[in-house]
Amino acid sequence: MRLGINLGYWGLGMDADNIAVAQEADRLGYSVCWAAEAYGSDAATVLSFVAAKTERIDVGSAIFQIPARTPAMTAMTAATLDTLSGGRFRLGLGVSGPQVSEGWYGVRFDKPLARTREYVEIIRKAMSRERLVHEGANWTLPLPGGPGKPIKLTVHPVREHIPLYIAAIGPKNLELTGEIADGWLGIFFSPEHASLSLDALTAGRAKAGKSLEGFDLCPTVNIAVGEDVEAAVDGLRSYAALYIGGMGSKEKNFYNQLTRRMGYEQAADEIQEKYLAKDYAGAAAAVPHDLIDATSLIGDTARIADRMQAYADAGVTTLTLAPSGFTLEERVLALRTGVEALERAGLA
């Protein structure tokens, strides 16, 4: 099992530290460094900067938002980043959510599965450097009746195939991910509830005549290093409450729905009700200890090593760490502990 690091969003006051964290991960032999985007920093600019400041570690988008860019623009960006980084780019995609898609980008959040399938098809066609011709429900290239003509990408990516990942939570999106992607970007993944994700991913792979062999299962997990497990859990409550209670609307919150499928229906209701009422402290307090502990790496090296073994046993191939601390010292400690725990578990 390999390790990754997720820098999250840029512009939160830790930008200089983010580069130091990426460089330390590079030095320690981490496999990939991911960057995110929502409606603040974009991931492409961040990744180009990280790639310029590192030597061996891959850089990946977790995620590029599908409503933010045309598929041809995403193909251009992926090819450029792969060239600039010397073949170290991984393309992670996701549909985002209704509030961001429609509120920020002005793109209707309709038929996200069909849109994702078509988006990936166009990207792969463009990056293959064949002349771009496509006729679908969402995009027609070239546009009919005008001066447009089929053209091809002028940039030569370093590799013939840039790894493509999809962030997916719901069963249908997971199945699609297994069918058309090279890897999966997960969140709130628990080894004890692995079947909620892996069954659908496996079904998708089977549709494509493939198995999970060679498919990168890559969940992001929070890591909090320390002897006081309860204090570490408390430190992650606000993060969990934000996603379970506040990401999306009451009717459509993918993280809330996942929490329900994991068996925490009553807690999911309470967290969302309190968060939407702006009782953020109450929402955080309502997040079950067991839910946080099951979806995070918490404790000393030995305890974290045990949980890493559980992730490996569940089939995870790249475990991406999101350090819970905000200081550079805390984040570097998390990176080093991750390596020590991996070695202790015999997974390195």
Side-chain angles (χ1 to χ4, degrees), residues 35 57 99 102 125 130 201 219 226 228 282 335:
I57 194 169
Q99 291 179 319
E102 300 192 10
K125 190 177 294 184
E130 63 179 90
L201 288 167
D228 191 338
L335 284 174

Side-chain angles (χ1 to χ4, degrees), residues 174-189:
L174 285 163
E175 186 171 322
L176 177 68
T177 298
E179 182 184 352
I180 68 174
D182 303 305
W184 167 62
L185 299 173
I187 189 171
F188 291 114
F189 179 80

Side-chain angles (χ1 to χ4, degrees), residues 25 27 43 46 77 88 108-109 129 149 166 182 202 224 261 287 292-294 303 313 328 340:
R27 187 188 71 79
V46 172
T77 304
R88 292 188 284 141
R108 289 291 180 198
F109 193 80
R129 302 194 66 250
K149 62 180 182 179
I166 295 176
D182 303 305
T202 301
R261 290 196 296 274
V287 180
I292 295 175
D293 198 17
R303 193 174 193 272
D313 290 344
L328 178 58
E340 292 169 4

Side-chain angles (χ1 to χ4, degrees), residues 71-95:
M73 182 70 241
T74 296
M76 290 168 59
T77 304
T80 305
L81 279 167
D82 198 54
T83 303
L84 289 174
S85 66
R88 292 188 284 141
F89 179 64
R90 303 187 194 184
L91 174 59
L93 302 171
V95 293

Side-chain angles (χ1 to χ4, degrees), residues 98-99 109 112 247-254 256-257 272:
Q99 291 179 319
F109 193 80
M247 286 288 193
S249 64
K250 184 175 178 59
E251 294 74 25
K252 188 167 288 188
N253 178 322
F254 306 124
N256 189 281
Q257 292 165 7
Q272 187 175 64

Side-chain angles (χ1 to χ4, degrees), residues 33-343:
C33 176
W34 303 96
E37 63 183 22
Y39 42 94
S41 57
D42 77 287
T45 307
V46 172
L47 292 172
S48 63
F49 190 41
V50 171
K53 297 288 187 178
T54 55
E55 297 178 2
R56 295 169 300 277
I57 194 169
D58 282 5
V59 293
S61 55
I63 53 160
F64 283 167
Q65 298 164 301
I66 286 175
R69 302 169 181 83
T70 65
M73 182 70 241
T74 296
M76 290 168 59
T77 304
T80 305
L81 279 167
D82 198 54
T83 303
L84 289 174
S85 66
R88 292 188 284 141
F89 179 64
R90 303 187 194 184
L91 174 59
L93 302 171
V95 293
S96 189
Q99 291 179 319
V100 173
S101 183
E102 300 192 10
W104 186 247
Y105 295 116
V107 175
R108 289 291 180 198
F109 193 80
D110 57 347
K111 300 180 179 177
L113 298 181
R115 183 180 294 270
T116 298
R117 183 186 291 278
E118 193 174 343
Y119 198 89
V120 169
E121 182 180 337
I122 296 171
I123 286 172
R124 287 207 159 126
K125 190 177 294 184
M127 289 199 297
S128 73
R129 302 194 66 250
E130 63 179 90
R131 294 196 179 276
L132 190 53
V133 177
H134 177 85
E135 186 172 343
N138 298 285
W139 293 277
T140 300
L141 301 167
L143 284 175
K149 62 180 182 179
I151 51 181
K152 66 180 180 180
L153 185 69
T154 61
V155 175
H156 291 255
V158 174
R159 294 165 297 170
E160 291 185 5
H161 184 84
I162 294 174
L164 188 149
Y165 295 69
I166 295 176
I169 296 175
K172 291 182 179 179
N173 200 10
L174 285 163
E175 186 171 322
L176 177 68
T177 298
E179 182 184 352
I180 68 174
D182 303 305
W184 167 62
L185 299 173
I187 189 171
F188 291 114
F189 179 80
S190 161
E192 290 74 26
H193 298 88
S195 62
L196 292 177
S197 304
L198 300 193
D199 287 355
L201 288 167
T202 301
R205 297 298 285 169
K207 274 188 174 181
K210 301 176 182 177
S211 70
L212 288 177
E213 183 73 27
F215 186 82
D216 196 10
L217 296 171
C218 184
T220 291
V221 299
N222 289 309
I223 177 170
V225 180
E227 299 292 335
D228 191 338
V229 172
E230 191 60 47
V233 167
D234 287 342
L236 294 171
R237 288 185 181 279
S238 294
Y239 169 87
L242 167 64
Y243 279 82
I244 298 169
M247 286 288 193
S249 64
K250 184 175 178 59
E251 294 74 25
K252 188 167 288 188
N253 178 322
F254 306 124
Y255 309 98
N256 189 281
Q257 292 165 7
L258 173 60
T259 303
R260 293 173 182 279
R261 290 196 296 274
M262 293 172 71
Y264 296 98
E265 294 92 344
Q266 184 175 345
D269 281 339
E270 184 179 357
I271 294 164
Q272 187 175 64
E273 180 181 344
K274 290 184 175 179
Y275 200 95
L276 295 180
K278 301 188 185 303
D279 179 9
Y280 304 128
V287 180
H289 175 286
D290 290 348
L291 174 61
I292 295 175
D293 198 17
T295 56
S296 310
L297 300 174
I298 296 173
D300 59 17
T301 304
R303 193 174 193 272
I304 290 173
D306 287 343
R307 288 303 290 165
M308 282 188 171
Q309 184 65 64
Y311 277 95
D313 290 344
V316 171
T317 47
T318 302
L319 189 62
T320 296
L321 309 184
S324 64
F326 291 99
T327 69
L328 178 58
E329 292 75 15
E330 289 172 317
R331 298 169 79 196
V332 168
L333 174 62
L335 284 174
R336 293 174 180 171
T337 301
V339 172
E340 292 169 4
L342 195 74
E343 292 173 347

